[in-house]
């Protein structure tokens, strides 16, 4: 056999060890070369080069990128969710982000009041986003989740709002404390200050910046027929009047590689309560720009406890002075010290909103608040505890039943959101037949927790997130309803897995 044919046989043997080695060894002239080729191939199979990248779980992170788990083991059953691009899921006992520490939180990153020299980064830290990451990291190993950029501006102008319209605060009034970390973010069409802080201006008649006026965000209005949100009774109110005293905080974020949803808390305050139908309908919006399916057409994921957009006319206000059509179940204690007048103003209390995202994608989340119709009678929003979840979530909301001082409602749930169980506590003014039923948002019965005769007084039951068939229910919003004993009341629940 010629040297050329022998070389071709060796080349073929590299492609098929079992099929071509026999052809090599049939020629005495190639036998030595064949032996060397076989030894070289076996050595390569046993000892790959030290710099080789191994990504057996297909998560895009190789061992050379710092991925500690490519196969199940060590308590990790889903290694594709464990890599340096992940966030450390609280309480799961796994070093999700491969930094050498199990269950280490990403914060707290800030504490105390910041009323001057505040920028987008300070507000992101007040919401508990501590980690900063580049938009285009030079290596895969540096492609971590976190904040890419943050900006404060008017919409659509490039100038910043008045510095008094935003702040990071250690508390708001006497009843609103940070949900996580050491402070919370405050945005306002007036002054982002409570009654005890410098530069506070009472919300009524309020602060105004005559130069801060623009049209409302078209991404929100266009899918709604070029209208803003309003009460169903307000169809004649134009949506395209200018909006005033706008604050827009835009956060560009890279989603953790193991996150399928984001979550944040917010509380809205209005000094125009109650407004049923007029052009003065201040808004708070959170517009999410993501590739995730299931997002609303208007991009808004800031919802109140009943799933409404957060405006003066549509939001469910829980702390206020009752008027016709507004039950105000929590009284007025939560408004103490906020600068909002308990006799005329209102707050929703803390709500928790969730929305789907795509793991590892870059998203933009824009928080904006604005006055509609005039510059007067200001509104304020608190935003905190921006974080992630590993299970997909539909855009939804839940209310924290223990967030307001002086709250007294017939039915309470704690914790809420919850996983895996929540305690439902209810008060009956009289004895009699009582049932407590869990429904999904389509009105389907999920679980009957109680159907019995009960005495007057306070009672508690635990829902473990399972249906009557014993099966665990998916993440999402549910309604618990108590009927009987002189009450008919319900509370919205959020199951988050």
């Amino acid at each position: 056999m010629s040297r050329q044919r022998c070389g071709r046989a060796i080349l073929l043997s590299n492609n098929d060890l079992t099929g071509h080695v026999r052809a090599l060894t049939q020629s005495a002239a190639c036998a030595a070369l064949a032996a060397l080729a076989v030894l070289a191939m076996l050595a390569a199979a046993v000892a790959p080069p030290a710099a080789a990248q191994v990504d057996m779980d297909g998560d895009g992170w190789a061992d050379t990128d710092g991925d500690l788990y490519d196969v199940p083991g060590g308590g990790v059953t889903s290694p594709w969710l464990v890599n340096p691009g992940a966030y450390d899921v609280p309480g799961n006992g796994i070093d999700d982000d491969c930094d050498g520490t199990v269950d280490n939180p990403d914060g707290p990153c800030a504490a105390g009041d910041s009323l001057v020299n505040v920028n987008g980064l300070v507000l992101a830290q007040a919401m508990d986003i501590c980690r900063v990451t580049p938009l285009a990291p030079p290596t895969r190993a540096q492609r971590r989740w976190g904040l890419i950029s943050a900006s404060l501006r008017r919409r659509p102008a490039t100038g910043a709002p008045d510095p008094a319209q935003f702040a990071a605060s250690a508390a708001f009034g006497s009843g609103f404390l940070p949900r996580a970390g050491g402070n919370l973010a405050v945005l306002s069409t007036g002054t982002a200050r409570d009654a005890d802080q410098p530069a506070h201006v009472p919300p009524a008649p309020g602060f105004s910046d005559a130069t801060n006026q623009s049209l409302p965000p078209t991404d929100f209005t266009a899918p709604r027929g070029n209208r803003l949100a309003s009460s169903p009774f307000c169809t004649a109110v134009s949506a395209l009047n200018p909006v005033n005293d706008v604050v827009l905080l835009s956060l560009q974020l890279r989603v953790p590689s193991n996150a399928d949803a984001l979550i944040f808390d917010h509380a809205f305050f209005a000094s125009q309560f109650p407004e049923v139908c007029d052009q003065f309908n201040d808004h708070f919006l959170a517009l999410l720009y993501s590739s995730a399916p299931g997002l609303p057409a208007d991009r808004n994921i800031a919802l109140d406890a009943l799933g409404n957009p957060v405006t003066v006319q549509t939001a469910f206000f829980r702390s206020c002075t009752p008027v016709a059509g507004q039950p105000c179940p929590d009284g007025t204690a939560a408004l103490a010290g906020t600068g909002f007048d308990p006799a005329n103003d209102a707050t929703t209390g803390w709500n928790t909103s969730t929305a789907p995202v795509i793991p590892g994608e870059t998203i933009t989340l824009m928080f904006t608040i604005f006055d509609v119709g005039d510059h007067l009678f200001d509104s304020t929003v608190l935003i905190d505890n921006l974080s992630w979840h590993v299970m997909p979530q539909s855009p939804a909301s839940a209310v924290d039943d223990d967030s307001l001082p002086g709250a007294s409602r017939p039915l309470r749930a704690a914790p809420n959101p919850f996983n895996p169980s929540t305690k439902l506590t209810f008060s009956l003014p009289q004895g009699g037949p009582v049932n407590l039923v869990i429904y999904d948002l389509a009105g389907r019965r999920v679980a009957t927790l109680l159907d019995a005769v009960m005495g007057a007084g306070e009672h508690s039951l635990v829902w473990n997130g399972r249906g009557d068939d014993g099966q665990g229910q998916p993440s999402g919003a549910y309604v618990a309803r108590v009927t009987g004993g002189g009450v008919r009341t319900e509370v919205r629940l959020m199951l988050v897995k």
Side-chain angles (χ1 to χ4, degrees), residues 125-203:
Q125 291 175 339
M127 299 176 193
D128 306 297
I129 294 295
C130 308
R131 184 176 307 205
V132 176
T133 190
L135 175 62
T139 66
R140 178 70 184 186
Q142 295 172 293
R143 186 178 173 83
R144 308 297 179 96
W145 72 270
L147 179 71
I148 297 171
S149 65
S151 64
L152 272 164
R153 65 181 190 273
R154 310 173 186 188
R155 184 186 182 98
T158 57
D162 189 285
Q165 290 186 256
F166 47 89
S169 185
F172 193 71
S174 59
F176 288 87
L177 300 175
R179 308 286 280 170
N183 54 15
L184 45 82
V186 188
L187 309 179
S188 181
T189 64
T191 54
R193 310 285 191 270
D194 66 22
D196 295 331
Q197 291 177 322
H200 167 74
V201 174

Side-chain angles (χ1 to χ4, degrees), residues 65-366:
D65 298 324
D67 191 357
L68 300 180
Y69 294 94
D70 256 351
V71 295
V76 175
T77 59
S78 302
W80 53 91
L81 297 178
V82 180
N83 52 60
Y87 82 103
D88 221 348
V89 181
N92 70 350
I94 295 173
D95 181 16
D96 302 276
D97 56 3
C98 298
D99 69 349
T101 304
V102 174
D103 291 344
N104 54 315
D106 186 54
C109 47
D113 294 333
S114 295
L115 305 181
V116 297
N117 299 322
V118 177
N119 55 27
L121 175 61
V122 171
L123 293 175
Q125 291 175 339
M127 299 176 193
D128 306 297
I129 294 295
C130 308
R131 184 176 307 205
V132 176
T133 190
L135 175 62
T139 66
R140 178 70 184 186
Q142 295 172 293
R143 186 178 173 83
R144 308 297 179 96
W145 72 270
L147 179 71
I148 297 171
S149 65
S151 64
L152 272 164
R153 65 181 190 273
R154 310 173 186 188
R155 184 186 182 98
T158 57
D162 189 285
Q165 290 186 256
F166 47 89
S169 185
F172 193 71
S174 59
F176 288 87
L177 300 175
R179 308 286 280 170
N183 54 15
L184 45 82
V186 188
L187 309 179
S188 181
T189 64
T191 54
R193 310 285 191 270
D194 66 22
D196 295 331
Q197 291 177 322
H200 167 74
V201 174
F207 161 94
S208 66
D209 178 358
T211 67
N212 186 347
Q213 186 179 74
S214 65
L215 289 176
T218 55
D219 289 335
F220 179 73
T221 59
R224 309 174 69 88
N226 292 322
R227 307 186 66 81
L228 286 167
S230 65
S231 162
F233 306 104
C234 301
T235 56
V237 177
S238 171
L240 297 181
N241 289 335
V243 297
N244 308 290
D245 298 331
V246 182
V247 181
L248 189 151
L249 172 63
S250 181
L251 304 179
Q252 188 180 30
L253 298 156
R254 179 173 297 114
V255 177
S257 59
N258 60 338
D260 287 288
L262 64 80
I263 184 169
F264 63 95
D265 299 327
H266 51 92
F268 181 70
F269 299 77
S271 62
Q272 291 179 240
F273 174 85
E275 299 292 343
V276 177
C277 183
D278 62 23
Q279 69 271 35
F280 309 112
N281 185 28
D282 299 351
H283 281 52
F284 161 61
L285 306 174
L287 306 182
L288 175 60
Y289 296 82
S290 164
S291 300
L295 289 171
D298 64 10
R299 297 192 178 275
N300 178 52
I301 60 170
L303 308 170
D304 74 358
L306 299 179
N308 300 314
V310 181
T311 80
V312 174
Q313 294 173 1
T314 63
F316 172 46
F317 290 100
R318 295 163 49 206
S319 186
C320 45
T321 299
V323 295
Q326 295 283 353
C328 298
D330 297 325
T332 61
L335 293 168
T338 64
F340 286 84
D341 181 5
N344 301 299
D345 303 338
T347 179
T348 62
W350 285 112
N351 290 281
T352 300
S353 290
T354 62
V357 291
I358 301 296
E361 72 169 336
T362 297
I363 64 170
T364 298
L365 181 59
M366 295 197 309

